[in-house]
Amino acid sequence: LALAVSTIDSFQPETFAVGAQYKGDGWRVGGSLEQQNWSQLEHELSNDTIKDQQSVAAGDRARFDDILVPRVGAEYDLSKNFAVRAGVAFEESPLQTTRNPELNYLDADKFVVGVGLSATYDRTRLLAYPIRMDIGYQYQQLQERDFTLVDYDGNETNVTADGDVHVISGSVTLKFRGVVQP
């Protein structure tokens, strides 16, 4: 028995971004506008042979919009080796539908605010470039949105997606010099 299975394990939309920054002495501010083409996911779902969205009634099919994500950020140098960064963004949900039988996708619009601190250690003896350490905090506020979940038997449950997300992350950046030989 031969099976041809086509499923989606992750999807990244085609994304275009434009941005600008203004830099002063020890500070900079910038902004960007990002377009994410989520409508391509509808085509991907139509090729899914496990959860065949084409066989679902037209009104119940998962539908997605292309979205624009505005972002604004700022950076201020506290000293030669320390900087503080902050930013804000609004991410609209690309999901148009609130009732998606047997798929039950949930998504909501969200406001995102972040703040971080960077430290650069430039007195490295073995490395050609400074070491940079970053730590940041991000808060996401999900806007309330109602959904109807539908199980395999057709039973419906109304749910509300909302909440707050708190993220703390850190990183260490090491740069290495490449050797180019003719």
Side-chain angles (χ1 to χ4, degrees), residues 28-40:
R28 64 182 171 161
V29 295
S32 68
L33 188 61
E34 185 176 283
Q35 178 176 331
Q36 299 176 358
N37 294 334
W38 284 95
S39 60
Q40 294 172 331

PDB file of all heavy atoms in Angstrom, residues 28-40:
ATOM      1  N   ARG A  28      20.407  55.998  19.102  1.00  0.00           N
ATOM      2  CA  ARG A  28      19.778  55.862  17.787  1.00  0.00           C
ATOM      3  C   ARG A  28      18.335  55.409  17.976  1.00  0.00           C
ATOM      4  O   ARG A  28      17.989  54.748  18.957  1.00  0.00           O
ATOM      5  CB  ARG A  28      20.536  54.901  16.877  1.00  0.00           C
ATOM      6  CG  ARG A  28      20.578  53.491  17.333  1.00  0.00           C
ATOM      7  CD  ARG A  28      21.402  52.648  16.377  1.00  0.00           C
ATOM      8  NE  ARG A  28      21.610  51.328  16.930  1.00  0.00           N
ATOM      9  CZ  ARG A  28      21.958  50.275  16.246  1.00  0.00           C
ATOM     10  NH1 ARG A  28      22.146  50.388  14.940  1.00  0.00           N
ATOM     11  NH2 ARG A  28      22.133  49.113  16.816  1.00  0.00           N
ATOM     12  N   VAL A  29      17.495  55.802  17.030  1.00  0.00           N
ATOM     13  CA  VAL A  29      16.095  55.373  16.995  1.00  0.00           C
ATOM     14  C   VAL A  29      15.815  54.855  15.596  1.00  0.00           C
ATOM     15  O   VAL A  29      16.449  55.278  14.629  1.00  0.00           O
ATOM     16  CB  VAL A  29      15.099  56.515  17.355  1.00  0.00           C
ATOM     17  CG1 VAL A  29      15.290  56.961  18.785  1.00  0.00           C
ATOM     18  CG2 VAL A  29      15.230  57.676  16.402  1.00  0.00           C
ATOM     19  N   GLY A  30      14.894  53.935  15.525  1.00  0.00           N
ATOM     20  CA  GLY A  30      14.587  53.373  14.223  1.00  0.00           C
ATOM     21  C   GLY A  30      13.193  52.792  14.194  1.00  0.00           C
ATOM     22  O   GLY A  30      12.543  52.612  15.225  1.00  0.00           O
ATOM     23  N   GLY A  31      12.759  52.516  13.010  1.00  0.00           N
ATOM     24  CA  GLY A  31      11.452  51.912  12.829  1.00  0.00           C
ATOM     25  C   GLY A  31      11.448  51.060  11.577  1.00  0.00           C
ATOM     26  O   GLY A  31      12.294  51.218  10.701  1.00  0.00           O
ATOM     27  N   SER A  32      10.513  50.150  11.533  1.00  0.00           N
ATOM     28  CA  SER A  32      10.384  49.315  10.341  1.00  0.00           C
ATOM     29  C   SER A  32       8.927  48.941  10.141  1.00  0.00           C
ATOM     30  O   SER A  32       8.109  49.012  11.061  1.00  0.00           O
ATOM     31  CB  SER A  32      11.238  48.046  10.460  1.00  0.00           C
ATOM     32  OG  SER A  32      10.718  47.192  11.449  1.00  0.00           O
ATOM     33  N   LEU A  33       8.636  48.553   8.936  1.00  0.00           N
ATOM     34  CA  LEU A  33       7.320  48.045   8.572  1.00  0.00           C
ATOM     35  C   LEU A  33       7.569  46.740   7.825  1.00  0.00           C
ATOM     36  O   LEU A  33       8.315  46.699   6.851  1.00  0.00           O
ATOM     37  CB  LEU A  33       6.573  49.048   7.690  1.00  0.00           C
ATOM     38  CG  LEU A  33       5.118  48.737   7.402  1.00  0.00           C
ATOM     39  CD1 LEU A  33       4.314  48.700   8.701  1.00  0.00           C
ATOM     40  CD2 LEU A  33       4.536  49.783   6.471  1.00  0.00           C
ATOM     41  N   GLU A  34       6.965  45.672   8.331  1.00  0.00           N
ATOM     42  CA  GLU A  34       7.190  44.341   7.793  1.00  0.00           C
ATOM     43  C   GLU A  34       5.889  43.790   7.233  1.00  0.00           C
ATOM     44  O   GLU A  34       4.868  43.843   7.901  1.00  0.00           O
ATOM     45  CB  GLU A  34       7.680  43.461   8.947  1.00  0.00           C
ATOM     46  CG  GLU A  34       8.077  42.079   8.585  1.00  0.00           C
ATOM     47  CD  GLU A  34       8.634  41.355   9.801  1.00  0.00           C
ATOM     48  OE1 GLU A  34       9.787  41.596  10.185  1.00  0.00           O
ATOM     49  OE2 GLU A  34       7.877  40.537  10.378  1.00  0.00           O
ATOM     50  N   GLN A  35       5.932  43.299   6.000  1.00  0.00           N
ATOM     51  CA  GLN A  35       4.771  42.654   5.409  1.00  0.00           C
ATOM     52  C   GLN A  35       4.994  41.150   5.447  1.00  0.00           C
ATOM     53  O   GLN A  35       6.010  40.651   4.968  1.00  0.00           O
ATOM     54  CB  GLN A  35       4.532  43.086   3.973  1.00  0.00           C
ATOM     55  CG  GLN A  35       3.335  42.358   3.366  1.00  0.00           C
ATOM     56  CD  GLN A  35       2.987  42.807   1.968  1.00  0.00           C
ATOM     57  OE1 GLN A  35       3.227  43.937   1.610  1.00  0.00           O
ATOM     58  NE2 GLN A  35       2.424  41.905   1.194  1.00  0.00           N
ATOM     59  N   GLN A  36       4.020  40.429   6.026  1.00  0.00           N
ATOM     60  CA  GLN A  36       4.071  38.972   6.088  1.00  0.00           C
ATOM     61  C   GLN A  36       2.927  38.421   5.241  1.00  0.00           C
ATOM     62  O   GLN A  36       1.766  38.740   5.488  1.00  0.00           O
ATOM     63  CB  GLN A  36       3.950  38.488   7.529  1.00  0.00           C
ATOM     64  CG  GLN A  36       5.059  38.980   8.421  1.00  0.00           C
ATOM     65  CD  GLN A  36       4.868  38.563   9.858  1.00  0.00           C
ATOM     66  OE1 GLN A  36       3.878  37.928  10.230  1.00  0.00           O
ATOM     67  NE2 GLN A  36       5.826  38.922  10.698  1.00  0.00           N
ATOM     68  N   ASN A  37       3.250  37.597   4.264  1.00  0.00           N
ATOM     69  CA  ASN A  37       2.256  37.071   3.319  1.00  0.00           C
ATOM     70  C   ASN A  37       1.696  35.725   3.809  1.00  0.00           C
ATOM     71  O   ASN A  37       2.085  34.666   3.316  1.00  0.00           O
ATOM     72  CB  ASN A  37       2.855  36.950   1.921  1.00  0.00           C
ATOM     73  CG  ASN A  37       3.201  38.303   1.349  1.00  0.00           C
ATOM     74  OD1 ASN A  37       2.609  39.314   1.717  1.00  0.00           O
ATOM     75  ND2 ASN A  37       4.158  38.341   0.459  1.00  0.00           N
ATOM     76  N   TRP A  38       0.783  35.800   4.763  1.00  0.00           N
ATOM     77  CA  TRP A  38       0.176  34.606   5.345  1.00  0.00           C
ATOM     78  C   TRP A  38      -0.869  33.975   4.436  1.00  0.00           C
ATOM     79  O   TRP A  38      -1.240  32.816   4.629  1.00  0.00           O
ATOM     80  CB  TRP A  38      -0.463  34.944   6.692  1.00  0.00           C
ATOM     81  CG  TRP A  38       0.545  35.107   7.761  1.00  0.00           C
ATOM     82  CD1 TRP A  38       1.111  36.277   8.195  1.00  0.00           C
ATOM     83  CD2 TRP A  38       1.141  34.075   8.540  1.00  0.00           C
ATOM     84  NE1 TRP A  38       2.009  36.033   9.188  1.00  0.00           N
ATOM     85  CE2 TRP A  38       2.050  34.679   9.427  1.00  0.00           C
ATOM     86  CE3 TRP A  38       1.002  32.700   8.575  1.00  0.00           C
ATOM     87  CZ2 TRP A  38       2.807  33.962  10.335  1.00  0.00           C
ATOM     88  CZ3 TRP A  38       1.758  31.979   9.480  1.00  0.00           C
ATOM     89  CH2 TRP A  38       2.642  32.611  10.347  1.00  0.00           C
ATOM     90  N   SER A  39      -1.366  34.681   3.438  1.00  0.00           N
ATOM     91  CA  SER A  39      -2.389  34.106   2.560  1.00  0.00           C
ATOM     92  C   SER A  39      -1.853  32.892   1.798  1.00  0.00           C
ATOM     93  O   SER A  39      -2.624  32.053   1.354  1.00  0.00           O
ATOM     94  CB  SER A  39      -2.923  35.165   1.592  1.00  0.00           C
ATOM     95  OG  SER A  39      -1.877  35.672   0.782  1.00  0.00           O
ATOM     96  N   GLN A  40      -0.541  32.769   1.674  1.00  0.00           N
ATOM     97  CA  GLN A  40       0.056  31.589   1.033  1.00  0.00           C
ATOM     98  C   GLN A  40      -0.246  30.316   1.823  1.00  0.00           C
ATOM     99  O   GLN A  40      -0.242  29.222   1.262  1.00  0.00           O
ATOM    100  CB  GLN A  40       1.571  31.759   0.928  1.00  0.00           C
ATOM    101  CG  GLN A  40       2.000  32.870   0.009  1.00  0.00           C
ATOM    102  CD  GLN A  40       3.499  33.125   0.095  1.00  0.00           C
ATOM    103  OE1 GLN A  40       4.118  32.909   1.127  1.00  0.00           O
ATOM    104  NE2 GLN A  40       4.068  33.593  -0.995  1.00  0.00           N
TER     105      GLN A  40
END
